[in-house]
Amino acid sequence: MSLSAAPKGRPLKTSVVVCTYNGQAYVAEQLNSLLAQSRTPDEIVIGDDASDDETWSLVCDFVARAEGRGITAIAFRNARRVGYVENFSRTLRSAVGDVIFLCDQDDVWHADKVAVMTASFEHDPALLFAHSDARLVDQGGGYLGHCLFYALEVTKRELDGIDSGGAFEVYLRRNLATGAASAFRRSLLTMAQPLPQEWVHDAWLVVVAAATGRVSIVADCLIDYRQHPKNQIGVARRSVKQRVSDLFRARNETITNTADRLGVLIARFEEVDASNEHIDSVRSMRDHLRRRLVIGTQSLWHRVPSVIQEWSTGRYTRFGTGIRSALRDLLRIG
């Protein structure tokens, strides 16, 4: 199963998909950074999720300026709020570029982002999805002293797995791709749409991409990723105290939700006739999580042999963080 690249012999057309909701504090700066690109986007599509502040007015002003620069600019406003996953799904349907960039309302793109990432797709016809590192900044745009991959604790094992053709299990285990730093070929939407409500949009897109084509990481920081209290999903590196307390944290609800999401992925893969290898991997991870749920209901002394037995399958390392995941199951409360 594979998805074809855009025809050769012409530059790839680019679309930027922006989703907004009550973002008046930062959206103008983000949109201005799109016009400051060294390779300007061919199309910008903005979907506003029924904002009740000045966001829509700022969006409309921007559309006029973008059109004045020769960029195709489209904006629509939901009559009622539908949530960010559905808003992204709706907005994506209007994008027609060969390569689609996801864009949040509160970040700032570096001037070479579109050029660098589009060149990656033009140089590699097999590339389906790419994502970059990002500078983490505070509410005022001040650098926090580290970048996204550092905060996510991306490992050499994960990077080597992606480079060596094992990207699917890397992204199945955990999401390393932040939507605001991602781009993909529009052909991916054939399999990925509709975006399921059970998944965060970027995690869904990259895991489907990894099952159908090549995924690449751009090591450079290509955006300033703003961290503030109203982030839908923020990121911060954990302290030693947080790591220790994490071992005892209740996980049954999280594990249950993850297992349910994997069921959604299995159903989609069966619909589109995905490879048996990928379906089997998802089922194996779901079985592992279900086994961990049972372990979480046991007393400490009954957990020890259960964890040892599950450890012998290799699935703690394959689908988790190895010894740390096993320790969590021994020590967690619920």
Side-chain angles (χ1 to χ4, degrees), residues 38-127:
S38 60
R39 176 174 178 167
T40 54
D42 297 290
E43 176 187 62
I44 300 172
V45 184
I46 306 172
D48 182 70
D49 199 15
S51 293
D52 55 18
D53 64 358
E54 293 300 314
T55 298
W56 181 243
S57 176
L58 293 168
V59 165
C60 292
D61 289 344
F62 171 79
V63 166
R65 288 192 292 120
E67 289 177 337
R69 295 274 300 274
I71 299 170
T72 299
I74 303 167
F76 64 85
R77 188 182 195 184
N78 297 326
R80 59 179 179 79
R81 193 177 182 202
V82 298
Y84 71 94
V85 173
E86 177 61 20
N87 195 32
F88 261 117
S89 189
R90 291 183 180 188
T91 312
L92 283 170
R93 295 187 194 113
S94 299
V96 300
D98 302 308
V99 176
I100 297 175
F101 289 78
L102 300 177
C103 181
D104 289 346
Q105 66 182 2
D106 47 10
D107 304 314
V108 177
W109 285 15
H110 297 183
D112 59 345
K113 176 181 177 175
V114 172
V116 169
M117 296 193 77
T118 305
S120 297
F121 288 96
E122 290 177 335
H123 294 158
D124 184 357
L127 182 61

Coordinates of all heavy atoms in Angstrom, one line a residue, residues 38-127:
S38 N 10.4 33.3 3.0 CA 11.2 33.5 1.8 C 10.6 32.8 0.6 O 10.8 33.2 -0.5 CB 12.6 32.9 2.1 OG 12.6 31.5 2.4
R39 N 9.9 31.7 0.8 CA 9.1 31.1 -0.2 C 7.6 31.2 0.3 O 7.2 30.4 1.1 CB 9.5 29.7 -0.4 CG 8.6 28.9 -1.5 CD 9.2 27.5 -1.7 NE 8.3 26.8 -2.7 CZ 8.7 25.7 -3.3 NH1 9.9 25.1 -3.1 NH2 7.9 25.0 -4.1
T40 N 6.9 32.2 -0.2 CA 5.5 32.4 0.3 C 4.6 31.2 -0.1 O 4.8 30.6 -1.2 CB 4.9 33.7 -0.2 OG1 5.0 33.7 -1.6 CG2 5.7 34.9 0.4
P41 N 3.7 30.9 0.8 CA 2.7 29.8 0.5 C 1.9 30.2 -0.8 O 1.6 31.4 -1.0 CB 1.8 29.7 1.7 CG 2.6 30.5 2.8 CD 3.4 31.5 2.1
D42 N 1.4 29.2 -1.5 CA 0.5 29.5 -2.6 C -0.9 29.7 -2.2 O -1.7 30.4 -2.8 CB 0.6 28.3 -3.6 CG 2.0 28.1 -4.2 OD1 2.4 29.0 -5.0 OD2 2.6 27.1 -3.8
E43 N -1.2 29.1 -1.0 CA -2.6 29.1 -0.5 C -2.6 29.1 1.0 O -1.8 28.4 1.6 CB -3.4 27.9 -1.0 CG -4.8 27.9 -0.5 CD -5.5 26.6 -0.9 OE1 -5.0 25.5 -0.5 OE2 -6.6 26.6 -1.6
I44 N -3.5 29.9 1.6 CA -3.6 29.9 3.1 C -5.1 29.8 3.3 O -5.9 30.5 2.8 CB -3.1 31.2 3.7 CG1 -1.6 31.4 3.4 CG2 -3.4 31.2 5.2 CD1 -1.1 32.8 3.9
V45 N -5.5 28.7 4.1 CA -6.9 28.4 4.4 C -7.0 28.5 5.9 O -6.3 27.9 6.7 CB -7.3 27.0 3.9 CG1 -8.8 26.8 4.2 CG2 -7.0 26.8 2.5
I46 N -8.0 29.4 6.4 CA -8.1 29.6 7.8 C -9.6 29.2 8.2 O -10.5 29.6 7.6 CB -7.9 31.1 8.1 CG1 -6.6 31.6 7.6 CG2 -8.0 31.3 9.6 CD1 -6.3 33.1 7.7
G47 N -9.6 28.4 9.2 CA -10.9 28.0 9.7 C -11.1 28.5 11.2 O -10.3 28.1 12.0
D48 N -12.0 29.4 11.4 CA -12.2 29.9 12.8 C -13.4 29.2 13.4 O -14.5 29.0 12.9 CB -12.5 31.4 12.7 CG -12.7 32.0 14.1 OD1 -11.7 32.1 14.8 OD2 -13.9 32.3 14.5
D49 N -13.1 28.7 14.7 CA -14.1 27.9 15.4 C -15.0 28.7 16.3 O -15.0 28.6 17.5 CB -13.3 26.8 16.2 CG -14.2 25.7 16.6 OD1 -15.3 25.5 16.0 OD2 -13.8 24.9 17.5
A50 N -15.7 29.6 15.6 CA -16.7 30.5 16.3 C -16.1 31.3 17.4 O -16.7 31.4 18.5 CB -17.9 29.6 16.8
S51 N -15.0 32.0 17.1 CA -14.4 32.9 18.1 C -15.4 34.0 18.5 O -16.2 34.5 17.7 CB -13.2 33.5 17.5 OG -12.1 32.6 17.3
D52 N -15.3 34.4 19.8 CA -16.2 35.5 20.2 C -15.4 36.7 20.7 O -15.8 37.6 21.4 CB -17.2 35.1 21.3 CG -16.5 34.4 22.5 OD1 -15.3 34.6 22.7 OD2 -17.2 33.7 23.3
D53 N -14.1 36.7 20.3 CA -13.2 37.9 20.5 C -12.9 38.6 19.2 O -13.7 38.5 18.3 CB -12.0 37.5 21.3 CG -11.1 36.6 20.5 OD1 -11.4 36.2 19.4 OD2 -10.0 36.3 21.0
E54 N -11.8 39.2 19.0 CA -11.5 40.0 17.8 C -10.8 39.1 16.8 O -10.3 39.6 15.7 CB -10.6 41.2 18.1 CG -11.3 42.2 19.0 CD -12.5 42.8 18.2 OE1 -12.4 43.1 17.0 OE2 -13.6 42.9 18.9
T55 N -10.7 37.8 17.0 CA -9.9 36.9 16.1 C -10.4 37.0 14.7 O -9.7 37.1 13.7 CB -9.9 35.5 16.6 OG1 -9.3 35.4 17.9 CG2 -9.2 34.6 15.6
W56 N -11.7 36.9 14.5 CA -12.3 36.8 13.2 C -12.0 38.1 12.4 O -11.7 38.1 11.2 CB -13.8 36.6 13.2 CG -14.4 36.5 11.9 CD1 -15.4 37.3 11.4 CD2 -14.2 35.6 10.8 NE1 -15.8 37.0 10.1 CE2 -15.0 35.9 9.7 CE3 -13.3 34.5 10.7 CZ2 -15.0 35.2 8.5 CZ3 -13.3 33.8 9.5 CH2 -14.1 34.1 8.5
S57 N -12.1 39.3 13.1 CA -11.8 40.5 12.4 C -10.3 40.6 12.0 O -10.0 41.0 10.9 CB -12.1 41.7 13.4 OG -11.7 42.9 12.9
L58 N -9.4 40.1 12.8 CA -8.0 40.0 12.4 C -7.8 39.1 11.3 O -7.0 39.4 10.4 CB -7.2 39.6 13.6 CG -7.1 40.6 14.8 CD1 -6.5 39.9 16.1 CD2 -6.3 41.8 14.5
V59 N -8.5 38.0 11.2 CA -8.4 37.0 10.1 C -8.8 37.7 8.8 O -8.2 37.6 7.8 CB -9.2 35.8 10.4 CG1 -9.4 34.9 9.2 CG2 -8.5 34.9 11.5
C60 N -10.0 38.4 8.9 CA -10.5 39.0 7.7 C -9.5 40.1 7.1 O -9.3 40.2 5.9 CB -11.9 39.6 7.9 SG -13.1 38.4 8.2
D61 N -8.9 40.8 8.0 CA -7.9 41.8 7.6 C -6.7 41.2 6.9 O -6.2 41.6 5.9 CB -7.5 42.7 8.8 CG -8.5 43.6 9.3 OD1 -9.5 43.9 8.6 OD2 -8.4 44.1 10.5
F62 N -6.3 40.0 7.5 CA -5.2 39.3 7.0 C -5.5 38.8 5.6 O -4.6 38.8 4.7 CB -4.8 38.2 7.9 CG -3.7 37.3 7.3 CD1 -2.4 37.6 7.2 CD2 -4.1 36.0 6.7 CE1 -1.5 36.8 6.7 CE2 -3.2 35.2 6.1 CZ -1.9 35.6 6.1
V63 N -6.7 38.2 5.4 CA -7.0 37.7 4.1 C -6.9 38.7 3.0 O -6.4 38.5 1.9 CB -8.5 37.1 4.1 CG1 -9.0 36.8 2.7 CG2 -8.5 35.8 5.0
A64 N -7.3 39.9 3.3 CA -7.2 41.0 2.3 C -5.8 41.3 2.0 O -5.4 41.5 0.8 CB -7.9 42.3 2.8
R65 N -4.9 41.3 3.0 CA -3.5 41.6 2.8 C -2.8 40.5 2.0 O -2.0 40.7 1.1 CB -2.8 41.8 4.1 CG -3.1 43.2 4.8 CD -2.2 43.5 5.9 NE -2.4 42.6 7.0 CZ -1.4 41.8 7.5 NH1 -0.2 41.8 7.0 NH2 -1.7 41.0 8.6
A66 N -3.2 39.2 2.3 CA -2.6 38.1 1.6 C -3.0 38.1 0.1 O -2.2 37.9 -0.7 CB -3.0 36.8 2.3
E67 N -4.2 38.4 -0.1 CA -4.7 38.4 -1.5 C -4.0 39.5 -2.3 O -3.7 39.4 -3.5 CB -6.2 38.6 -1.5 CG -7.0 37.4 -1.1 CD -8.5 37.6 -1.1 OE1 -8.9 38.8 -1.0 OE2 -9.2 36.6 -1.2
G68 N -3.7 40.6 -1.6 CA -3.0 41.7 -2.2 C -1.6 41.4 -2.6 O -0.9 42.0 -3.4
R69 N -1.0 40.3 -1.9 CA 0.3 39.8 -2.2 C 0.2 38.7 -3.3 O 1.3 38.1 -3.6 CB 0.9 39.2 -0.9 CG 1.2 40.3 0.1 CD 2.6 41.0 -0.1 NE 3.6 40.0 -0.1 CZ 4.3 39.6 1.0 NH1 3.9 40.1 2.2 NH2 5.2 38.7 1.0
G70 N -0.9 38.4 -3.8 CA -1.1 37.4 -4.8 C -1.2 36.0 -4.3 O -1.1 35.0 -5.0
I71 N -1.5 35.8 -3.0 CA -1.7 34.5 -2.4 C -3.2 34.2 -2.3 O -4.0 35.1 -1.9 CB -1.1 34.6 -0.9 CG1 0.4 34.8 -1.0 CG2 -1.4 33.2 -0.2 CD1 1.0 35.1 0.4
T72 N -3.5 33.0 -2.7 CA -4.9 32.6 -2.5 C -5.2 32.5 -1.0 O -4.6 31.7 -0.3 CB -5.2 31.3 -3.2 OG1 -4.9 31.4 -4.6 CG2 -6.6 30.8 -3.1
A73 N -6.2 33.2 -0.5 CA -6.5 33.2 0.9 C -8.0 32.9 1.0 O -8.8 33.6 0.4 CB -6.1 34.5 1.5
I74 N -8.3 31.9 1.9 CA -9.7 31.5 2.1 C -9.9 31.5 3.6 O -9.1 31.0 4.4 CB -10.0 30.2 1.5 CG1 -9.7 30.1 0.0 CG2 -11.4 29.7 1.8 CD1 -9.6 28.7 -0.5
A75 N -11.0 32.0 4.1 CA -11.3 32.0 5.5 C -12.8 31.7 5.7 O -13.7 32.2 4.9 CB -11.0 33.3 6.2
F76 N -13.1 30.8 6.6 CA -14.5 30.5 6.9 C -14.6 30.4 8.5 O -13.7 30.2 9.2 CB -15.1 29.3 6.3 CG -14.4 28.0 6.7 CD1 -14.8 27.3 7.8 CD2 -13.3 27.5 6.0 CE1 -14.1 26.2 8.2 CE2 -12.7 26.3 6.4 CZ -13.1 25.6 7.5
R77 N -15.9 30.7 8.9 CA -16.1 30.7 10.4 C -17.2 29.7 10.7 O -18.3 29.8 10.1 CB -16.5 32.1 10.8 CG -16.7 32.4 12.3 CD -17.1 33.8 12.5 NE -16.9 34.2 13.9 CZ -17.3 35.4 14.3 NH1 -17.9 36.2 13.5 NH2 -17.1 35.7 15.6
N78 N -17.0 28.8 11.6 CA -18.0 27.9 12.1 C -19.1 28.6 12.8 O -18.9 29.5 13.6 CB -17.4 26.8 13.0 CG -16.4 25.9 12.3 OD1 -16.5 25.7 11.1 ND2 -15.4 25.5 13.0
A79 N -20.4 28.2 12.5 CA -21.5 28.8 13.2 C -21.6 28.5 14.6 O -22.0 29.3 15.4 CB -22.8 28.3 12.5
R80 N -21.0 27.4 15.0 CA -20.9 27.0 16.4 C -19.6 26.3 16.6 O -19.0 25.7 15.7 CB -22.1 26.2 16.9 CG -22.2 24.9 16.2 CD -23.4 24.0 16.7 NE -23.5 22.8 16.0 CZ -22.8 21.7 16.1 NH1 -21.8 21.7 17.1 NH2 -23.0 20.6 15.4
R81 N -19.1 26.3 17.9 CA -17.8 25.7 18.1 C -17.9 24.1 17.9 O -18.8 23.5 18.5 CB -17.3 26.0 19.5 CG -15.8 25.6 19.7 CD -15.3 26.0 21.0 NE -13.9 25.7 21.1 CZ -13.2 25.5 22.2 NH1 -13.7 25.6 23.3 NH2 -11.9 25.2 22.1
V82 N -16.9 23.6 17.2 CA -16.9 22.1 17.0 C -15.6 21.5 17.6 O -15.5 20.2 17.6 CB -16.9 21.8 15.5 CG1 -18.2 22.4 14.8 CG2 -15.7 22.4 14.7
G83 N -14.7 22.2 18.2 CA -13.5 21.7 18.7 C -12.4 21.6 17.7 O -12.6 21.6 16.5
Y84 N -11.1 21.6 18.2 CA -10.0 21.8 17.3 C -9.8 20.6 16.4 O -9.3 20.8 15.2 CB -8.7 22.1 18.1 CG -8.1 21.0 18.9 CD1 -7.1 20.2 18.3 CD2 -8.5 20.7 20.2 CE1 -6.5 19.2 19.1 CE2 -7.9 19.7 20.9 CZ -6.9 18.9 20.4 OH -6.3 17.9 21.1
V85 N -10.1 19.3 16.7 CA -9.9 18.2 15.8 C -10.8 18.4 14.6 O -10.4 18.3 13.5 CB -10.1 16.9 16.5 CG1 -10.0 15.7 15.5 CG2 -9.0 16.7 17.6
E86 N -12.1 18.6 14.9 CA -13.1 18.7 13.8 C -12.8 20.0 13.0 O -13.0 20.0 11.8 CB -14.5 18.8 14.4 CG -15.6 19.0 13.3 CD -15.7 17.9 12.3 OE1 -15.1 16.8 12.5 OE2 -16.2 18.2 11.2
N87 N -12.4 21.1 13.6 CA -12.1 22.3 12.9 C -10.9 22.1 11.9 O -11.0 22.5 10.8 CB -11.7 23.4 13.9 CG -11.8 24.8 13.2 OD1 -12.5 25.0 12.3 ND2 -10.9 25.7 13.7
F88 N -9.9 21.3 12.4 CA -8.8 21.0 11.5 C -9.3 20.1 10.3 O -8.9 20.3 9.2 CB -7.6 20.3 12.2 CG -6.5 21.2 12.6 CD1 -6.2 21.5 13.9 CD2 -5.7 21.8 11.6 CE1 -5.1 22.3 14.3 CE2 -4.7 22.7 11.9 CZ -4.4 22.9 13.3
S89 N -10.1 19.2 10.7 CA -10.6 18.3 9.6 C -11.4 19.0 8.6 O -11.2 18.8 7.4 CB -11.5 17.2 10.3 OG -11.9 16.2 9.4
R90 N -12.3 19.9 9.0 CA -13.0 20.7 8.1 C -12.1 21.6 7.2 O -12.3 21.8 6.0 CB -14.0 21.6 8.8 CG -15.2 20.8 9.5 CD -16.2 21.8 10.1 NE -17.3 21.1 10.8 CZ -18.3 21.6 11.3 NH1 -18.5 23.0 11.2 NH2 -19.3 20.9 11.8
T91 N -11.2 22.3 7.9 CA -10.3 23.2 7.1 C -9.4 22.5 6.1 O -9.2 23.0 5.0 CB -9.5 24.0 8.1 OG1 -10.3 24.5 9.2 CG2 -8.8 25.2 7.5
L92 N -9.0 21.3 6.5 CA -8.1 20.5 5.6 C -8.8 20.2 4.3 O -8.2 20.1 3.2 CB -7.7 19.2 6.3 CG -6.5 19.3 7.3 CD1 -6.4 18.0 8.1 CD2 -5.2 19.7 6.6
R93 N -10.1 20.0 4.3 CA -10.9 19.7 3.1 C -10.8 20.8 2.1 O -11.0 20.5 0.9 CB -12.3 19.4 3.5 CG -12.5 18.1 4.4 CD -14.0 17.8 4.5 NE -14.2 16.9 5.6 CZ -14.8 17.1 6.8 NH1 -15.3 18.3 7.0 NH2 -15.0 16.2 7.7
S94 N -10.5 22.0 2.5 CA -10.5 23.1 1.5 C -9.1 23.3 0.9 O -9.0 24.2 0.0 CB -11.0 24.4 2.3 OG -12.3 24.2 2.7
A95 N -8.1 22.7 1.4 CA -6.8 22.9 1.0 C -6.5 22.1 -0.3 O -6.8 20.9 -0.4 CB -5.8 22.5 2.0
V96 N -5.9 22.7 -1.3 CA -5.7 22.1 -2.6 C -4.2 21.9 -2.9 O -3.9 21.4 -4.0 CB -6.4 22.8 -3.7 CG1 -7.9 22.8 -3.4 CG2 -5.9 24.2 -3.9
G97 N -3.3 22.4 -2.1 CA -1.8 22.3 -2.4 C -1.3 20.9 -2.4 O -1.9 20.0 -1.9
D98 N -0.2 20.7 -3.1 CA 0.5 19.4 -3.1 C 1.0 19.1 -1.7 O 1.0 17.9 -1.3 CB 1.6 19.4 -4.1 CG 1.2 19.7 -5.5 OD1 0.3 19.1 -6.0 OD2 1.8 20.6 -6.1
V99 N 1.5 20.1 -1.0 CA 2.1 19.9 0.3 C 1.3 20.8 1.3 O 1.1 22.0 1.0 CB 3.6 20.3 0.4 CG1 4.1 20.2 1.9 CG2 4.4 19.3 -0.5
I100 N 0.8 20.2 2.4 CA -0.1 21.0 3.3 C 0.7 21.2 4.6 O 1.2 20.2 5.2 CB -1.4 20.2 3.6 CG1 -2.2 20.1 2.3 CG2 -2.2 20.9 4.7 CD1 -3.5 19.3 2.4
F101 N 0.8 22.4 5.1 CA 1.4 22.8 6.3 C 0.3 23.0 7.4 O -0.7 23.7 7.1 CB 2.2 24.1 6.2 CG 3.5 23.9 5.4 CD1 3.4 23.9 4.0 CD2 4.7 23.8 6.1 CE1 4.6 23.8 3.3 CE2 5.9 23.7 5.3 CZ 5.8 23.7 3.9
L102 N 0.4 22.4 8.5 CA -0.5 22.7 9.7 C 0.0 23.9 10.4 O 1.2 24.0 10.6 CB -0.6 21.5 10.6 CG -1.1 20.2 9.9 CD1 -1.1 19.1 11.0 CD2 -2.5 20.4 9.4
C103 N -0.9 24.8 10.9 CA -0.4 26.0 11.5 C -1.4 26.3 12.7 O -2.6 26.4 12.5 CB -0.5 27.2 10.5 SG 0.1 28.8 11.1
D104 N -0.8 26.5 13.9 CA -1.5 27.0 15.0 C -1.7 28.5 15.0 O -1.0 29.2 14.2 CB -0.9 26.5 16.3 CG -1.0 25.0 16.5 OD1 -1.9 24.4 15.8 OD2 -0.3 24.4 17.4
Q105 N -2.4 29.0 15.9 CA -2.7 30.5 15.9 C -1.8 31.3 16.7 O -1.8 32.5 16.7 CB -4.1 30.7 16.4 CG -4.3 30.4 17.9 CD -5.8 30.6 18.3 OE1 -6.6 31.0 17.6 NE2 -6.0 30.3 19.6
D106 N -0.9 30.6 17.5 CA -0.2 31.4 18.5 C 1.3 31.2 18.5 O 2.1 31.6 19.4 CB -0.6 30.9 19.9 CG -0.7 29.4 20.1 OD1 -0.3 28.7 19.2 OD2 -1.3 29.0 21.1
D107 N 1.9 30.7 17.3 CA 3.3 30.5 17.2 C 3.8 31.6 16.2 O 3.1 32.4 15.7 CB 3.6 29.1 16.7 CG 3.0 28.1 17.6 OD1 3.2 28.2 18.9 OD2 2.4 27.1 17.1
V108 N 5.1 31.5 15.9 CA 5.7 32.3 14.9 C 6.6 31.5 14.0 O 7.5 30.8 14.5 CB 6.6 33.5 15.5 CG1 7.3 34.3 14.4 CG2 5.7 34.4 16.4
W109 N 6.4 31.5 12.7 CA 7.2 30.7 11.8 C 8.5 31.4 11.5 O 8.5 32.7 11.2 CB 6.5 30.4 10.5 CG 5.4 29.4 10.7 CD1 4.9 28.9 11.8 CD2 4.7 28.7 9.6 NE1 3.9 28.0 11.6 CE2 3.8 27.8 10.2 CE3 4.8 28.7 8.2 CZ2 3.0 27.0 9.4 CZ3 4.0 27.9 7.5 CH2 3.1 27.1 8.1
H110 N 9.6 30.7 11.4 CA 10.9 31.3 10.9 C 10.8 31.5 9.4 O 10.1 30.7 8.7 CB 12.1 30.4 11.3 CG 12.3 30.2 12.8 ND1 13.3 29.5 13.3 CD2 11.6 30.7 13.8 CE1 13.2 29.5 14.6 NE2 12.2 30.2 15.0
A111 N 11.5 32.4 8.9 CA 11.3 32.9 7.5 C 11.6 31.8 6.5 O 11.1 31.8 5.4 CB 12.2 34.1 7.2
D112 N 12.4 30.8 6.8 CA 12.8 29.8 5.9 C 12.0 28.5 6.0 O 12.3 27.5 5.3 CB 14.3 29.4 6.0 CG 14.7 28.9 7.4 OD1 13.9 29.1 8.3 OD2 15.8 28.4 7.5
K113 N 10.9 28.5 6.8 CA 10.2 27.2 7.1 C 9.6 26.6 5.8 O 9.8 25.4 5.5 CB 9.1 27.4 8.1 CG 8.3 26.1 8.4 CD 7.2 26.3 9.4 CE 6.4 25.0 9.4 NZ 5.4 25.0 10.5
V114 N 8.8 27.3 5.1 CA 8.2 26.8 3.9 C 9.2 26.4 2.9 O 9.1 25.3 2.3 CB 7.2 27.8 3.3 CG1 6.7 27.3 2.0 CG2 6.0 28.1 4.3
A115 N 10.2 27.1 2.7 CA 11.3 26.8 1.7 C 12.0 25.5 2.1 O 12.2 24.6 1.3 CB 12.3 27.9 1.6
V116 N 12.4 25.4 3.4 CA 13.2 24.2 3.8 C 12.3 22.9 3.7 O 12.8 21.9 3.2 CB 13.7 24.4 5.2 CG1 14.3 23.1 5.8 CG2 14.8 25.5 5.3
M117 N 11.1 23.0 4.2 CA 10.3 21.8 4.3 C 9.8 21.4 2.9 O 9.7 20.2 2.5 CB 9.2 21.9 5.3 CG 9.7 22.1 6.7 SD 8.4 21.9 7.9 CE 8.2 20.2 8.0
T118 N 9.4 22.4 2.0 CA 9.0 22.1 0.7 C 10.1 21.4 -0.1 O 9.9 20.5 -0.9 CB 8.4 23.3 0.0 OG1 7.4 23.9 0.8 CG2 7.8 22.9 -1.4
A119 N 11.3 21.9 0.1 CA 12.5 21.4 -0.6 C 12.7 19.9 -0.3 O 13.0 19.1 -1.1 CB 13.7 22.2 -0.3
S120 N 12.4 19.5 1.0 CA 12.5 18.1 1.4 C 11.6 17.3 0.6 O 11.9 16.2 0.1 CB 12.2 18.0 2.9 OG 13.1 18.7 3.7
F121 N 10.3 17.7 0.3 CA 9.4 16.9 -0.5 C 9.8 16.9 -1.9 O 9.6 15.9 -2.6 CB 8.0 17.5 -0.3 CG 7.4 17.3 1.1 CD1 7.4 18.2 2.1 CD2 6.7 16.1 1.3 CE1 6.9 18.0 3.3 CE2 6.2 15.8 2.6 CZ 6.2 16.8 3.6
E122 N 10.3 18.0 -2.4 CA 10.7 18.1 -3.8 C 11.9 17.2 -4.1 O 12.0 16.6 -5.2 CB 11.0 19.5 -4.2 CG 9.7 20.4 -4.3 CD 10.0 21.8 -4.6 OE1 11.1 22.3 -4.4 OE2 9.0 22.5 -5.2
H123 N 12.8 17.0 -3.1 CA 14.0 16.2 -3.3 C 13.7 14.7 -3.1 O 14.5 13.9 -3.5 CB 15.1 16.7 -2.4 CG 15.6 18.1 -2.7 ND1 16.2 18.9 -1.8 CD2 15.5 18.8 -3.9 CE1 16.5 20.0 -2.4 NE2 16.1 20.0 -3.6
D124 N 12.6 14.4 -2.4 CA 12.3 13.0 -2.1 C 10.9 12.7 -2.4 O 10.0 12.9 -1.6 CB 12.6 12.8 -0.6 CG 12.4 11.3 -0.2 OD1 12.0 10.5 -1.0 OD2 12.7 11.0 1.0
P125 N 10.6 12.1 -3.6 CA 9.2 11.8 -4.0 C 8.5 10.8 -3.1 O 7.3 10.8 -3.1 CB 9.4 11.3 -5.4 CG 10.7 11.8 -5.9 CD 11.6 11.9 -4.7
A126 N 9.3 10.1 -2.3 CA 8.7 9.1 -1.4 C 8.3 9.7 -0.1 O 7.6 9.0 0.7 CB 9.7 7.9 -1.2
L127 N 8.8 10.9 0.2 CA 8.5 11.5 1.5 C 7.0 11.9 1.6 O 6.5 12.6 0.7 CB 9.3 12.8 1.7 CG 9.2 13.5 3.0 CD1 9.5 12.6 4.2 CD2 10.1 14.8 3.0

